[in-house]
């Protein structure tokens, strides 16, 4: 009787192996054989799930933004400004492994930014994140936690850009944990003082 394989589980396992291989050797230097070796699978098995290294890269990007959407946009609304800032702080506290993966996305996805479709999908993600923050800010305005003179739509997108910038600096510039946390706290304090 043939072994039953969970397709989604196998795809995720291969994607994890691909990310490790890309991170260790660089995207352009990594071959499908390298990915197969890290995954502990035959190259033919890799090709059953992903037709090319480019297909692997696309699937990695799609998985990354799906996970980010779950993490950043589905935490639910908070009742106080401090609780909201705690959610943002949690978003910004990424692991060292996650930080090391950020440069890989630039190596893998860099050429894709020439594509309007790809750039549009990334822009849509940040638009949705900004709208999530905007809805939270509107609720906090209604509760008197945030001053009414701010435009929550503009501020929500500005916060999305701030979160993105901090995460990029953490990954691209190998910021130490202490320095990065100090930057996060300074940014949140600046944001807090601007909202009150």
């Amino acid at each position: 009787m043939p072994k039953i394989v969970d397709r989604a589980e196998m795809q995720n396992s291969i994607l994890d192996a691909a990310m490790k291989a890309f991170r260790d050797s660089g995207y352009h230097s990594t071959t499908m054989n390298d990915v197969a070796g890290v995954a502990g699978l035959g190259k033919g098995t890799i090709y059953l799930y992903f037709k090319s290294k480019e297909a692997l890269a696309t699937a990695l990007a799609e998985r990354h933004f799906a996970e980010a959407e779950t993490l950043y946009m589905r935490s639910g609304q908070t009742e106080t400004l401090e609780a909201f800032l705690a959610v943002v702080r949690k978003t910004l506290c990424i692991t060292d492994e996650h930080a090391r993966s950020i440069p890989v996305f630039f190596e893998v996805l860099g050429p894709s930014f020439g594509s309007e479709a790809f750039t549009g999908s990334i822009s849509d993600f940040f638009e949705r994140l900004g709208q999530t923050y905007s809805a939270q800010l509107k609720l906090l305005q209604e509760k008197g936690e945030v001053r009414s003179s701010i435009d929550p739509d503009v501020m929500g997108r500005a916060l999305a850009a701030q979160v993105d910038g901090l995460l990029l600096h953490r990954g691209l510039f190998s910021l130490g944990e202490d320095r990065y946390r100090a930057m996060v706290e300074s940014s949140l304090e600046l944001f807090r003082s601007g909202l009150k």
Side-chain angles (χ1 to χ4, degrees):
M1 181 167 200
K3 183 178 176 183
I4 298 173
V5 176
D6 182 316
R7 186 164 181 81
E9 187 177 314
M10 179 63 83
Q11 285 175 322
N12 274 318
S13 177
I14 293 168
L15 289 174
D16 290 343
M19 178 54 81
K20 182 175 184 341
F22 295 159
R23 195 171 47 235
D24 291 347
S25 303
Y27 172 73
H28 298 293
S29 298
T30 299
T31 66
M32 292 295 266
N33 275 335
D34 297 329
V35 173
V38 173
L41 299 168
K43 186 168 81 168
T45 302
I46 302 293
Y47 280 109
L48 287 174
Y49 291 88
F50 300 98
K51 298 299 180 201
S52 65
K53 188 167 77 167
E54 292 74 22
L56 265 171
T58 299
L60 271 172
E62 289 170 353
R63 183 176 79 166
H64 171 77
F65 284 104
E67 288 172 353
E69 187 150 347
T70 298
L71 177 65
Y72 300 169
M73 295 181 226
R74 299 202 178 133
S75 57
Q77 293 195 323
T78 59
E79 299 293 316
T80 66
L81 178 57
E82 289 310 313
F84 175 53
L85 293 176
V87 169
V88 175
R89 180 182 291 107
K90 185 176 177 185
T91 299
L92 289 165
C93 291
I94 60 173
T95 64
D96 287 341
E97 183 177 347
H98 183 168
R100 285 192 307 273
S101 298
I102 290 171
V104 172
F105 279 99
F106 275 84
E107 185 182 7
V108 170
L109 303 176
S112 299
F113 279 98
S115 157
E116 284 186 32
F118 179 79
T119 304
S121 71
I122 302 301
S123 177
D124 289 347
F125 168 80
F126 284 106
E127 190 61 35
R128 288 191 306 277
L129 180 58
Q131 289 168 355
T132 298
Y133 289 155
S134 172
Q136 177 64 66
L137 292 170
K138 287 175 187 173
L139 176 68
L140 293 174
Q141 280 179 322
E142 292 169 9
K143 294 186 170 297
E145 289 279 313
V146 170
R147 63 186 167 90
S148 61
S149 60
I150 70 152
D151 181 331
D153 294 326
V154 172
M155 191 63 78
R157 185 61 190 255
L159 179 57
Q162 185 178 2
V163 165
D164 184 42
L166 284 164
L167 291 172
L168 289 178
H169 276 251
R170 170 78 162 101
L172 293 178
F173 305 120
S174 303
L175 298 176
E177 185 69 25
D178 291 341
R179 184 173 181 205
Y180 177 68
R181 289 202 184 268
M183 288 170 61
V184 166
E185 292 308 318
S186 294
S187 296
L188 291 176
E189 181 52 41
L190 182 63
F191 195 69
R192 177 189 292 111
S193 64
L195 290 174
K196 287 197 169 244

